[in-house]
Amino acid sequence: MNWQEIETFLALAEELHFGRTADRLLLSRARVSQMIQSMEDRVGAPLFERTSRRVSLTPLGIQLRDDLIPHHCGVLTAVAQAADSARGIDGVLRVGFSSPLASKLLIAAGEAFRSCYPGCAVDIREVPLSDRYSGLRSGELDLQLIEFPATEPDLVCGPVLLRDPRVLAVSTRNPLSTRDAVTIDDLVGETVLFIGGVPGYFLDEVIPAHTPGGAPIHRSATTASWQELLAHVAADAGVTVTAAQGIHYYPRPDLAYVPFTDATPIRYGLQWRASGMSTLASAFVRAAVETTPVGGR
């Protein structure tokens, strides 16, 4: 098994989409399929289940993903540490986060990172939801932990570190607020609000344009601020789809958070520039992976 096959397997395990994986790795879809088939032939069993509508990991694929991630990051870190030994390592690493749960993980990872590299500092900054990539592209950030998918040709997505169930945020005046659970079909007839400026592929992942049966879902860009969006929802101007962490970090007496029964969790992962990762960043990625509970990945 060569390094490119491992990189391709881990990328597909995160994206669960052959086209996005090919774009991310700058490969053709045929080449991605060829390498995955080669791995499955070597293992002797399918690693992915493929249908015309979706791609998912088999139990064996999940096991291989979880076993490979720490070793994959370990190889990257080993190379970085060799360079560190030659010239030393210090400085400030600037890491972005897009949600409270992501910031909590970064704080824990930062503590583990500094215990290994006491000459380094970690500067944690918020990533605006309406402008997710400019911090990395401008060099203001070295890494960021944000919601996936985040498929951009000049940026690299690392391992998924967190998964948070999707919930529907609604006004307590909305009849859905009294429900124990909702489905994607319940979005028909509602105005589903979202923050403007997010990429279309990300919007389609979190708030689909149609129900599984094909009924259209009315989506509306409302604001660039999360707190303003929640204010619109509280005023019963619409509903929004978000992560379950909002229950703990954004409670309001005029809002209810109702879990979905048929929506996959929102995934959060690390991202950096495709032009290269610094030795500091490589070491931090390793610390983040080792800090994350296995159940969170």
Side-chain angles (χ1 to χ4, degrees):
M1 185 180 299
N2 62 43
W3 183 256
Q4 190 179 35
E5 287 177 344
I6 293 172
E7 292 265 302
T8 301
F9 168 77
L10 290 176
L12 183 59
E14 293 164 14
E15 298 291 349
L16 297 178
H17 190 282
F18 278 85
R20 289 198 298 265
T21 300
D23 292 341
R24 169 173 159 181
L25 299 178
L26 303 179
L27 299 171
S28 67
R29 292 193 185 193
R31 181 59 177 152
V32 171
S33 297
Q34 181 184 29
M35 285 191 284
I36 295 301
Q37 185 62 58
S38 176
M39 288 187 67
E40 292 178 328
D41 291 344
R42 187 176 292 108
V43 170
L47 300 173
F48 294 91
E49 293 180 355
R50 309 161 177 83
T51 70
S52 60
R53 297 179 62 89
R54 64 192 296 267
V55 176
S56 60
L57 283 161
T58 64
L60 184 62
I62 293 172
Q63 175 188 326
L64 182 60
R65 177 200 65 192
D66 292 344
D67 288 343
L68 277 178
I69 283 175
H71 298 293
H72 177 261
C73 292
V75 170
L76 296 176
T77 303
V79 174
Q81 288 176 339
D84 299 342
S85 298
R87 66 176 181 271
I89 179 170
D90 56 19
V92 178
L93 186 71
R94 297 156 300 178
V95 187
F97 66 91
S98 60
S99 73
L101 200 59
S103 71
K104 182 178 179 181
L105 188 149
L106 291 183
I107 291 170
E111 292 173 353
F113 171 78
R114 286 191 298 271
S115 69
C116 297
Y117 300 96
C120 300
V122 179
D123 182 11
I124 298 177
R125 305 180 182 182
E126 185 175 7
V127 174
L129 296 176
S130 59
D131 188 12
R132 291 156 44 94
Y133 307 121
S134 64
L136 275 183
R137 287 172 171 150
S138 67
E140 294 179 8
L141 294 176
D142 301 296
L143 294 167
Q144 60 184 19
L145 180 57
I146 64 171
E147 297 85 353
F148 281 0
T151 308
E152 299 292 315
D154 58 333
L155 304 176
V156 174
C157 292
V160 172
L161 298 183
L162 298 171
R163 288 179 170 83
D164 200 10
R166 266 187 282 181
V167 298
L168 185 67
V170 299
S171 167
T172 52
R173 288 180 276 172
N174 189 306
L176 292 176
S177 66
T178 62
R179 299 271 293 274
D180 293 330
V182 293
T183 68
I184 298 297
D185 286 331
D186 290 317
L187 298 180
V188 175
E190 301 286 342
T191 297
V192 186
L193 308 177
F194 65 93
I195 290 177
V198 299
Y201 63 80
F202 175 78
L203 177 62
D204 289 340
E205 174 82 8
V206 178
I207 307 173
H210 297 85
T211 68
I217 294 173
H218 180 223
R219 305 180 300 186
S220 176
T222 301
T223 178
S225 162
W226 178 245
Q227 292 291 356
E228 286 184 15
L229 187 147
L230 289 183
H232 284 288
V233 173
D236 204 20
V239 302
T240 195
V241 178
T242 185
Q245 61 186 280
I247 299 171
H248 306 288
Y249 291 106
Y250 301 107
R252 293 177 54 133
D254 48 5
L255 282 181
Y257 294 91
V258 188
F260 281 95
T261 60
D262 60 350
T264 57
I266 294 176
R267 300 171 296 136
Y268 298 79
L270 288 166
Q271 188 176 44
W272 56 89
R273 289 181 295 277
S275 57
M277 179 188 289
S278 69
T279 54
L280 274 175
S282 296
F284 188 90
V285 170
R286 176 61 181 270
V289 171
E290 293 178 346
T291 301
T292 305
V294 173
R297 296 198 292 267

